[in-house]
Amino acid sequence: MNPSAGEWKPSVAASEWTPSGTAAPAAAPAPPPKTESAVSDIDESDPLWQVVLTKICNGDRDRALKLINDPDQLTQYPEVEAILAAGDAMEEDWEKEGDKLAKEVDGMAIDDSKPAAADTKMEEEEPEEVVDAVEGDPREHLNLVFIGHVDAGKSTLSGNILYLTENVDKRTIEKYEAEAKERNRESWFLAFIMDTNEEERAK
């Protein structure tokens, strides 16, 4: 390294640099024409493709590919307009069919007539006693969502509510108090009720 050398600045007019003793790399080969992959993507049974290929381009596939990829130029041909209009008519037919089905469904009703004789035999059998299911907690269920910033006390608040309503047993509380004390976070034992995995507790 030369400490007295000036600052290096690239020159736009400079030729491409190649390491000494080696020849310049050969120019990259030209990419293959894309017409073959485009042809494989064409659906040969598509009516639009058939019209463009046979009637407009007279079998010239390259010209047909260029034309099919230029919608503005396609619409200049009446044959193409006729195919597009036929497609629009088919969509209208489908919409009419859908409306017809919707009316039929609206007209349907549930049959309230009595069941046939075979069904009445099943009713004659002794019905089993139906016992109401006893729920563990008769109180009304309530969903709560606590929203707040990180370390705002969402888990602590939730844990405190569960602790005060005696929804967490004493042994579990003692375990969480000991775990929080080990981590020098004694006031966090209420948050440990909600934060059950290590990733949440590490925060």
Side-chain angles (χ1 to χ4, degrees):
M1 306 236 9
N2 185 355
S4 61
E7 181 182 357
W8 180 83
K9 294 181 183 176
S11 172
V12 178
S15 61
E16 184 177 338
W17 177 83
T18 57
S20 61
T22 61
K34 296 182 181 179
T35 55
E36 289 183 26
S37 65
V39 170
S40 65
D41 293 342
I42 298 293
D43 181 9
E44 295 291 331
S45 64
D46 182 16
L48 181 62
W49 171 251
Q50 289 175 355
V51 165
V52 170
L53 180 63
T54 57
K55 293 186 178 179
I56 298 173
C57 296
N58 298 324
D60 184 0
R61 295 183 79 78
D62 291 334
R63 184 171 169 237
L65 280 171
K66 288 178 185 174
L67 191 58
I68 204 91
N69 289 322
D70 187 4
D72 294 332
Q73 205 173 15
L74 269 179
T75 56
Q76 295 174 0
Y77 295 94
E79 298 93 343
V80 172
E81 287 293 328
I83 289 176
L84 295 177
D88 291 341
M90 286 176 62
E91 285 182 22
E92 290 174 10
D93 290 343
W94 289 342
E95 290 175 6
K96 288 178 186 175
E97 188 69 26
D99 292 341
K100 181 181 171 186
L101 285 174
K103 288 178 184 176
E104 287 178 11
V105 169
D106 289 343
M108 292 181 181
I110 297 175
D111 186 13
D112 292 334
S113 63
K114 292 187 177 183
D119 293 337
T120 56
K121 290 180 183 176
M122 291 178 69
E123 290 178 10
E124 292 173 5
E125 295 176 10
E126 287 185 30
E128 295 180 21
E129 287 187 37
V130 178
V131 179
D132 290 336
V134 179
E135 294 182 20
D137 191 357
R139 295 178 287 188
E140 185 178 340
H141 185 79
L142 178 66
N143 290 326
L144 293 175
V145 177
F146 294 98
I147 300 172
H149 199 275
V150 174
D151 291 336
K154 300 177 295 292
S155 296
T156 305
L157 176 64
S158 305
N160 198 12
I161 290 171
L162 293 174
Y163 177 68
L164 293 174
T165 57
E166 297 178 357
N167 282 305
V168 183
D169 81 58
K170 294 286 183 190
R171 239 187 256 173
T172 306
I173 293 295
E174 290 170 2
K175 179 179 118 183
Y176 290 151
E177 284 176 334
E179 193 175 332
K181 194 171 190 176
E182 285 175 15
R183 296 179 185 218
N184 292 326
R185 308 249 190 255
E186 294 176 26
S187 64
W188 287 20
F189 77 96
L190 293 170
F192 284 6
I193 295 170
M194 296 302 296
D195 297 339
T196 54
N197 66 21
E198 287 301 318
E199 183 181 340
E200 290 174 336
R201 289 182 181 185
K203 294 179 185 177

